[in-house]
Amino acid sequence: MNREKELVLNTIILVIGKISTQFINFILLPFYTMYLTPEEFGVFDLLNTYIVLIVPIFNWQIENGMFRFMLDCRDNHDSQTQIFSTVLCSNFFQVFMYLCFFAIMQSFIKTPYKNFLAVDVSCNIFLNTFLQLSRGIGRTTKYAISSFILALSTVLLNIIFITVFNMGVYGLFFSTIISKIITIIYIIINIKIWNYFRVSKFSKEIFFKIFKYSLPLVPNQLSWWVVGTSDRTIISHFISVTVNGIYSVANKFSALFITFYNVFHLSWTESVTTHITDKDSESFITEIINSILKLIISICYCFITIVPFMFPLFVNKQYEEAYYQIPILVIAALFQVVVGLYSVIYTALKKSAEIMKTSLYAAIINITINILFIKIIGLYAASISTLIAYMVMAIYRCFHVKQFFNIKIEKKIIFSGIILGILSVLTYYIRLQWLHIFSLAIVVFYSVFLNRKLLFILIQFIIKLKKR
């Protein structure tokens, strides 16, 4: 199988699992905004933000190191067993250390939901490792199914706990934890984890190799936390938890958009890492980056022009203020895509320290702008600081990566991004129905023209599938 077919196949498999799960979550947005107040939604979102912060501190991003090193031994079961056994043994130690830390610190945590932090973080440490094992041994389909089970079980349990048992925000926490346990059990049984785990296979040498690679990813992940989610803490502190609930709803839209790329990112990472040493790797990477940028820019601005029609259907009126944050956050997500496209090259070259450094710069920019302007422009400070941080990081990586690969972005892509961006955002805020329809028609037409080659290839692919 050639590189392009391998990339497409992996992406399709992951699309089925990831897009469908995000779509289910998004469809239920009216349910959440109807049964939960902005304050309840804000509390749940804030605690999840802290979980995102805590997990990399205690698991050292070791599961990402495991995945990277497993790619080098796809056909060696003994090496895979040794790597996984080393990481899983480390996970037990990590969970033990975290629970000790939590026992000491819990008296300082002033929230009735604090025990969920202990259980959820512990589940995340094991779940992340099992998910990355699925990818590391080439079981991409199992990874996609696991992701689907995680999201679907969470959604179904949310409905049951909130509507049937009237548990409110407690229902959200319980469903999240139970769904993660269900997913862990599924992976254990279907991957047959016992075939990859032996306590005797623990290796100090392998541990330190993975640890050396993974450790720089921790401050990188923390930087991503500052850029992507620290806004919630700042909003809750300087404004209110209720407003954080509104901001969380706005982020649901940008999260749905970024899912389109995140699915591709998983297979893109694997493809670049596997073929980074090929003679024509530079031209291959350049071609794919340009194609994906054209596609993701089109999806971004089509999405913005569709939101005015979607928003009244999906969001309760008490969350109305979220409408004005959405285009800013979606464009921020577009720059996040650019960052992700280039980060894969650093990962393939095992330059995790460079990933950390560029993420740290963005984190400093984000938190500085946020704190300086939150009292002046309110909620806009959070969304604008996120946009600027991702934009700076994207521009920096575009130039910095040229030290390793000369990736050239086509000028028409930059031009298209600016034109479509101005048109879609201006018409979005004017809020005239006929103007929204006009904008949507223009953006869709231009997007089809911009991606005509990719669409032609896709149509040919579908025709071949039908003939078979």
Side-chain angles (χ1 to χ4, degrees):
M1 186 182 294
N2 64 35
R3 297 171 303 188
E4 288 79 7
K5 287 183 178 178
E6 181 183 37
L7 180 60
V8 170
L9 181 61
N10 282 338
T11 302
I12 291 172
I13 292 170
L14 292 167
V15 162
I16 295 169
K18 286 286 186 180
I19 296 294
S20 55
T21 55
Q22 283 294 330
F23 186 70
I24 291 169
N25 268 312
F26 191 80
I27 286 293
L28 284 170
L29 193 56
F31 166 79
Y32 295 132
T33 57
M34 182 184 297
Y35 283 93
L36 298 170
T37 66
E39 183 178 359
E40 287 177 318
F41 207 82
V43 168
F44 176 72
D45 184 69
L46 188 61
L47 283 180
N48 273 297
T49 298
Y50 292 146
I51 290 167
V52 173
L53 171 66
I54 294 168
V55 170
I57 293 175
F58 283 91
N59 81 339
W60 319 318
Q61 293 287 279
I62 200 168
E63 79 281 2
N64 289 316
M66 179 190 74
F67 168 70
R68 176 61 188 87
F69 280 85
M70 274 193 165
L71 289 179
D72 294 334
C73 56
R74 271 278 170 89
D75 301 319
N76 191 327
H77 184 270
D78 187 62
S79 295
Q80 290 175 341
T81 302
Q82 198 167 33
I83 291 170
F84 176 69
S85 299
T86 299
V87 170
L88 189 57
C89 286
S90 303
N91 286 158
F92 284 107
F93 174 74
Q94 290 163 346
V95 170
F96 174 75
M97 290 298 293
Y98 170 68
L99 292 177
C100 290
F101 172 80
F102 181 81
I104 295 168
M105 298 300 296
Q106 65 169 330
S107 60
F108 300 100
I109 305 173
K110 306 299 181 184
T111 173
Y113 313 109
K114 61 185 177 183
N115 289 331
F116 290 105
L117 285 172
V119 181
D120 205 327
V121 170
S122 301
C123 287
N124 268 297
I125 289 174
F126 288 114
L127 179 60
N128 290 347
T129 294
F130 289 158
L131 285 170
Q132 292 303 325
L133 172 68
S134 303
R135 292 180 64 208
I137 61 176
R139 306 286 288 276
T140 311
T141 305
K142 296 296 182 186
Y143 176 88
I145 293 172
S146 301
S147 300
F148 181 77
I149 289 172
L150 178 62
L152 183 61
S153 58
T154 302
V155 167
L156 292 176
L157 290 170
N158 277 343
I159 294 172
I160 293 168
F161 289 151
I162 293 173
T163 59
V164 179
F165 296 104
N166 198 27
M167 295 172 66
V169 72
Y170 278 100
L172 294 177
F173 286 114
F174 275 115
S175 60
T176 300
I177 290 170
I178 293 171
S179 62
K180 287 175 182 176
I181 293 171
I182 291 170
T183 308
I184 288 171
I185 293 170
Y186 168 80
I187 298 173
I188 289 173
I189 294 171
N190 281 271
I191 299 292
K192 297 180 180 178
I193 292 291
W194 52 86
N195 289 332
Y196 295 91
F197 180 68
R198 300 284 186 279
V199 176
S200 59
K201 288 286 186 177
F202 177 85
S203 167
K204 287 183 180 179
E205 183 182 352
I206 289 176
F207 170 78
F208 283 113
K209 280 183 179 179
I210 297 174
F211 183 73
K212 184 180 178 182
Y213 172 85
S214 301
L215 193 61
L217 296 177
V218 175
N220 171 66
Q221 187 64 27
L222 299 184
S223 299
W224 276 108
W225 180 86
V226 171
V227 175
T229 56
S230 66
D231 301 334
R232 273 81 156 181
T233 303
I234 295 171
I235 291 168
S236 299
H237 179 76
F238 286 99
I239 308 177
S240 69
V241 175
T242 300
V243 174
N244 182 57
I246 293 169
Y247 186 70
S248 178
V249 167
N251 270 282
K252 292 288 183 184
F253 287 83
S254 59
L256 182 64
F257 161 71
I258 199 66
T259 300
F260 288 99
Y261 171 71
N262 285 342
V263 171
F264 171 79
H265 182 80
L266 295 171
S267 50
W268 176 230
T269 302
E270 187 173 333
S271 182
V272 172
T273 302
T274 305
H275 301 290
I276 194 71
T277 56
D278 293 357
K279 289 182 180 179
D280 62 338
S281 59
E282 186 174 290
S283 59
F284 167 67
I285 293 170
T286 300
E287 182 183 353
I288 297 297
I289 286 179
N290 277 284
S291 297
I292 292 302
L293 278 179
K294 283 189 283 189
L295 180 62
I296 211 74
I297 285 171
S298 300
I299 293 172
C300 171
Y301 295 119
C302 283
F303 187 75
I304 289 175
T305 55
I306 291 171
V307 169
F309 304 101
M310 297 168 57
F311 191 85
L313 301 174
F314 286 90
V315 181
N316 191 281
K317 286 185 178 180
Q318 62 182 330
Y319 292 85
E320 175 68 20
E321 196 180 338
Y323 178 88
Y324 301 98
Q325 309 303 320
I326 292 170
I328 304 171
L329 292 169
V330 171
I331 295 173
L334 174 61
F335 283 106
Q336 185 182 348
V337 167
V338 179
V339 171
L341 285 169
Y342 284 101
S343 69
V344 169
I345 299 171
Y346 294 116
T347 300
L349 296 171
K350 295 183 179 178
K351 293 187 179 294
S352 49
E354 292 295 338
I355 298 176
M356 175 195 70
K357 185 173 67 176
T358 53
S359 300
L360 186 61
Y361 296 155
I364 294 169
I365 292 169
N366 176 271
I367 203 164
T368 302
I369 294 173
N370 221 333
I371 292 173
L372 287 176
F373 293 97
I374 193 77
K375 285 289 188 180
I376 302 170
I377 56 176
L379 199 52
Y380 284 100
S383 50
I384 291 172
S385 65
T386 300
L387 170 59
I388 294 173
Y390 280 130
M391 183 172 64
V392 171
M393 198 189 330
I395 294 170
Y396 179 88
R397 286 192 179 180
C398 281
F399 287 100
H400 183 264
V401 83
K402 290 183 182 295
Q403 296 181 20
F404 318 108
F405 287 94
N406 186 25
I407 309 296
K408 293 181 179 179
I409 305 298
E410 296 173 17
K411 291 181 180 178
K412 66 179 179 181
I413 296 176
I414 300 171
F415 176 77
S416 301
I418 294 170
I419 297 298
L420 290 179
I422 292 171
L423 174 66
S424 59
V425 172
L426 282 178
T427 55
Y428 180 94
Y429 283 108
I430 293 174
R431 301 197 77 167
L432 290 174
Q433 190 79 351
W434 69 269
L435 203 54
H436 291 156
I437 295 170
F438 171 76
S439 176
L440 176 60
I442 295 295
V443 172
V444 169
F445 176 79
Y446 191 79
S447 296
V448 171
F449 174 76
L450 188 64
N451 295 278
R452 60 192 183 280
K453 289 182 181 178
L454 187 62
L455 290 171
F456 180 71
I457 293 170
L458 183 62
I459 291 168
Q460 283 186 317
F461 180 73
I462 293 170
I463 291 171
K464 285 181 181 178
L465 283 178
K466 285 186 176 181
K467 286 181 179 179
R468 289 179 185 175

